[in-house]
Amino acid sequence: MNVRPELPPIPFIDLAAQRRRLKPAVDVAVAKVLDHCQFVMGPEVRAFEAELAAFCGAKHVVTCASGTDALVLPLRAFGIGPGDAVICPSFTFCATAEVAVLVGATPVFVDVDPATFNIDARGIAGAVEAAKAAGLTPKAVIPVDLFGLAADHGAIAAAAAAHGLKIIDDAAQGFGAIYNNRRIGTFGHVTSTSFFPAKPLGCYGDGGAVMTDDAEIADLMRSIRVHGSGSDRYDNVRIGLASRLDTIQAAVLIEKLKIFPDEIEARNRVARRYAEALGDVTVVPTVPSGSTSVWAQYTIRLKAGTRDAFAAALKADGVPTAIYYPIPLHKQQAYKQFPVGKGGVANSEKLAAEVISLPMHPYLDEPMQGRIIDSVRRALKQ
Ligand SMILES: *Cc1c(COP(=O)(O)O)cnc(C)c1O
């Protein structure tokens, strides 16, 4: 069937729909910042940090310039650097491993569980072993709440404690999700998130935040985000960064946080419709009991070798798809020299060949999702 010309195009993520919903409130909030002119560390930044802390239950929130910096700040605060190993999954966005290299440490890759796409905590011991064999000191693990689903934080905490590792939860995609009836933000020693526009909680540019219950680490990160400042900005007690969340972005985020719970609900409605309509023809994502997902991506698994034809068939129907992630990090040019944990990363390789993500956002209405579902079913029956 050809796309009928009168049908609206299907966006992969529809930022414009949310913009229409929030336009009056955001325009007023941004205009206020333009008027008070405190563009850096203005009152909205502090207000947003307090609201984010209340939302996720963390004691301290330190906002910063990006999700990547939100991982660099805790690594620096923990004093992780040359000679140290940072364990992370191979099946993730590159920033998870990039930050280890940025602070001079070495990423060591561990495999993921194919059912959840998240780090398999059973691989952490083997990664520690590989790190030591390479002459490194294992210092931290960065689990990722991939595609919006909370990682298995109980098992990760146990493995990390057994090896004396700090846990930095990379919640760039999973912020807002729940594990064991608690919201992401208080698992591990710190939790990092990104406000890149396409993330479940995004702003209108770059931004990030780190959450922690540890007052000392929070203070260190506050210092590092402003050039390592001490008692005042011209007292430099350590090497830092220039990594602040713009006041305008904080003003936008205050408005977005208000509708975030409602958007999470909407994403879950979309995910349920997909699961009901596609569960008999493809491998749909599963959510372990006690956990929730905020569905940063809705990722299905196809038989290896069929993905290109599947994507082309959907494209012909006007349905966009995306592949997160086509190459696991241990196979990337920039990362292939780094160690892989004992036990290997076979699932990461398998998933990279099988996964494909369907349009997912809170404003995906039933008629439009119906078109996507029909197209997927047709393509899989060919
Ligand atoms: C997006 C993302 C980041 C980095 O966030 P930026 O704000 O783009 O720097 C880190 N980790 C994961 C898993 C991500 O998806």
Side-chain angles (χ1 to χ4, degrees):
M1 192 180 80
N2 288 323
V3 191
R4 282 180 290 147
E6 71 269 23
L7 293 176
I10 299 176
F12 189 72
I13 290 180
D14 191 353
L15 296 177
Q18 188 206 48
R19 168 74 185 128
R20 284 192 294 276
R21 176 179 180 182
L22 283 177
K23 183 172 169 44
V26 164
D27 288 4
V28 168
V30 170
K32 266 192 203 152
V33 178
L34 297 181
D35 285 342
H36 70 48
C37 293
Q38 295 178 61
F39 300 120
V40 173
M41 297 308 286
E44 285 81 359
V45 174
R46 297 265 178 261
F48 175 62
E49 288 180 343
E51 281 169 30
L52 204 64
F55 173 81
C56 71
K59 288 203 180 96
H60 309 280
V61 171
V62 181
T63 54
C64 60
S66 71
T68 304
D69 281 359
L71 293 163
V72 170
L73 286 173
L75 286 169
R76 295 284 299 276
F78 289 133
I80 293 170
D84 296 335
V86 176
I87 296 163
C88 70
S90 180
F91 189 66
T92 178
F93 182 60
C94 65
T96 311
E98 186 179 37
V99 292
V101 186
L102 283 175
V103 300
T106 303
V108 176
F109 296 113
V110 62
D111 212 3
V112 294
D113 177 337
T116 62
F117 306 113
N118 279 327
I119 192 166
D120 184 342
R122 291 171 304 180
I124 290 174
V128 164
E129 227 183 292
K132 286 181 178 162
L136 302 163
T137 310
K139 286 278 178 71
V141 56
I142 309 185
V144 181
D145 304 299
L146 201 71
F147 303 150
L149 176 68
D152 188 0
H153 290 289
I156 293 161
H163 300 285
L165 304 172
K166 298 286 186 204
I167 301 168
I168 301 171
D169 181 18
D170 181 350
Q173 300 180 15
F175 187 69
I178 286 169
Y179 177 83
N180 263 351
N181 302 314
R182 235 166 72 207
R183 230 188 259 280
I184 293 287
T186 55
F187 298 100
H189 299 96
V190 305
T191 300
S192 305
T193 197
S194 162
F195 303 125
F196 183 80
K199 310 284 176 173
L201 181 62
C203 61
Y204 290 164
D206 278 307
V210 195
M211 286 135 273
T212 184
D213 283 347
D214 185 329
E216 201 180 314
I217 289 298
D219 278 344
L220 272 171
M221 294 193 296
R222 283 190 194 100
S223 164
I224 295 166
R225 82 172 158 184
V226 198
H227 304 290
S229 58
S231 53
D232 71 62
R233 116 171 66 150
Y234 299 109
D235 176 29
N236 308 117
V237 296
R238 58 180 62 81
I239 302 297
L241 310 168
S243 184
R244 293 150 303 213
L245 180 70
D246 290 340
T247 310
I248 287 178
Q249 300 300 349
V252 169
L253 281 161
I254 288 171
E255 298 309 318
K256 289 213 186 191
L257 187 59
K258 288 179 190 162
I259 62 162
F260 190 40
D262 176 64
E263 290 190 332
I264 292 173
E265 273 299 310
R267 286 175 182 275
N268 274 284
R269 275 197 298 278
V270 172
R272 275 197 298 274
R273 289 201 296 259
Y274 272 141
E276 279 160 20
L278 299 176
D280 61 330
V281 289
T282 187
V283 184
V284 295
T286 53
V287 177
S289 71
S291 291
T292 66
S293 177
V294 292
W295 303 105
Q297 303 296 342
Y298 193 87
T299 304
I300 60 172
R301 288 168 58 191
L302 305 174
K303 282 195 193 76
T306 65
R307 187 167 61 190
D308 288 352
F310 176 84
L314 266 65
K315 191 173 178 205
D317 285 344
V319 177
T321 56
I323 297 166
Y324 303 109
Y325 295 91
I327 306 173
L329 293 184
H330 70 279
K331 288 208 152 167
Q332 293 276 3
Q333 156 112 27
Y335 296 95
K336 63 187 177 207
Q337 76 269 30
F338 298 120
V340 163
K342 292 253 158 67
V345 281
N347 292 330
S348 300
E349 290 181 12
K350 191 167 150 58
L351 289 174
E354 293 178 350
V355 291
I356 190 162
S357 302
L358 302 177
M360 164 55 81
H361 61 83
Y363 305 96
L364 186 55
D365 62 26
E366 284 189 53
M368 208 173 260
Q369 193 176 4
R371 286 165 57 197
I372 299 165
I373 288 165
D374 289 348
S375 178
V376 169
R377 292 192 69 91
R378 259 198 314 276
L380 289 172
K381 279 184 185 146
Q382 275 163 14

